[in-house]
Amino acid sequence: MTDSRILSNVKDAELVEKRRSQMIKGAITLFKEKGFHRTTTREIAKASGFSIGTLYEYIRTKEDVLFLVCNAIYERFRERLEAAIDWNSPPVANLKRVITAYFQLMDDMQEEVIIMYQEVKSLKKETREYVLTKERDMVSMLENVMVTCLPASSSRQDATLLANNIFVQGQMWGFRRWMLQKQFTLETYIERQIHYVLQALAIADPGQAAAQTD
């Protein structure tokens, strides 16, 4: 979806979305290699497949491109979790499915997430606040799923803390991959993290209980 926060001279929304998607892909490649500050808009244009003049038809500054990268990450997160959430399924099964989907996304986008956290400080204050608001929205999605699994005696604060724990553990797969991925497969990492979450909730995992009785 085209973001109206970034001004464009082009009025064709479909074309704007297409060109900005090209920019995001090109910029991510360059930011991985050189970082945000050492990458020029001319290089972004070339990596995107068009001229510097065309680039400035769709954005105003290099910071606009970084904002688009951050926003694209959050949109993928939202889409993946919304697809995973099933409020009609048992709460624990729903929670396990959502955590799995989130961790798999963090594996798919580990480079992008690292870039975002390294470079978000380069955004202007108001833009940075928008990005942080999107992050709070993502944690809230996890929190809402968590609430359905908590014992009646638990508070919303418990759900908030556990949701933030899951959020960070997903990111840790990318941030500490130099160590974790030598010792764990993604599947094992997800399985153990889900185990600890359910342990914190004092919930027995139905899947494991069934396996133990076989």
Side-chain angles (χ1 to χ4, degrees), residues 106-153:
M106 290 298 97
D107 182 63
D108 292 343
M109 301 186 68
Q110 52 191 278
E111 293 284 358
E112 288 91 333
V113 171
I114 289 171
I115 289 168
M116 183 179 69
Y117 279 97
Q118 286 175 336
E119 306 296 356
V120 71
K121 61 184 180 295
S122 300
L123 295 171
K124 292 178 182 177
K125 182 179 178 181
E126 60 272 22
T127 313
R128 186 167 62 248
E129 182 55 37
Y130 169 79
V131 170
L132 294 176
T133 298
K134 298 282 277 189
E135 180 168 311
R136 287 191 287 269
D137 290 345
M138 292 194 297
V139 174
S140 293
M141 291 179 73
L142 293 171
E143 185 179 333
N144 290 336
V145 176
M146 188 68 65
V147 165
T148 65
C149 297
L150 284 168
S153 59

Side-chain angles (χ1 to χ4, degrees), residues 24-73:
I24 290 166
K25 291 178 183 177
I28 286 172
T29 300
L30 290 166
F31 293 167
K32 285 179 193 176
E33 296 173 357
K34 305 179 63 174
F36 172 74
H37 290 290
R38 291 172 55 210
T39 299
T40 67
T41 49
R42 190 171 297 279
E43 289 171 327
I44 293 172
K46 183 177 179 181
S48 305
F50 38 77
S51 69
I52 186 69
T54 299
L55 181 84
Y56 281 116
E57 289 291 311
Y58 298 93
I59 53 105
R60 291 291 181 271
T61 67
K62 187 171 68 170
E63 184 190 78
D64 287 350
V65 181
L66 179 58
F67 172 83
L68 291 172
V69 169
C70 293
N71 203 47
I73 292 170

Side-chain angles (χ1 to χ4, degrees), residues 81-193:
L81 258 66
E82 285 181 349
I85 293 172
D86 180 4
W87 297 114
N88 295 318
S89 67
V92 174
N94 190 35
L95 177 63
K96 289 173 65 178
R97 185 168 51 250
V98 168
I99 293 175
T100 298
Y102 170 56
F103 279 27
Q104 288 173 340
L105 179 62
M106 290 298 97
D107 182 63
D108 292 343
M109 301 186 68
Q110 52 191 278
E111 293 284 358
E112 288 91 333
V113 171
I114 289 171
I115 289 168
M116 183 179 69
Y117 279 97
Q118 286 175 336
E119 306 296 356
V120 71
K121 61 184 180 295
S122 300
L123 295 171
K124 292 178 182 177
K125 182 179 178 181
E126 60 272 22
T127 313
R128 186 167 62 248
E129 182 55 37
Y130 169 79
V131 170
L132 294 176
T133 298
K134 298 282 277 189
E135 180 168 311
R136 287 191 287 269
D137 290 345
M138 292 194 297
V139 174
S140 293
M141 291 179 73
L142 293 171
E143 185 179 333
N144 290 336
V145 176
M146 188 68 65
V147 165
T148 65
C149 297
L150 284 168
S153 59
S154 300
S155 68
R156 184 79 188 199
Q157 194 174 50
D158 293 327
T160 300
L161 183 57
L162 285 167
N164 276 280
N165 285 346
I166 292 169
F167 192 76
V168 172
Q169 287 161 4
Q171 295 171 339
M172 185 171 70
W173 179 248
F175 293 150
R176 293 185 59 79
R177 58 188 172 183
W178 56 271
M179 187 276 287
L180 289 172
Q181 295 180 25
K182 292 178 182 178
Q183 301 182 47
F184 299 91
T185 64
L186 176 62
E187 291 73 22
T188 302
Y189 184 75
I190 292 172
E191 186 274 325
R192 296 315 298 160
Q193 292 291 4

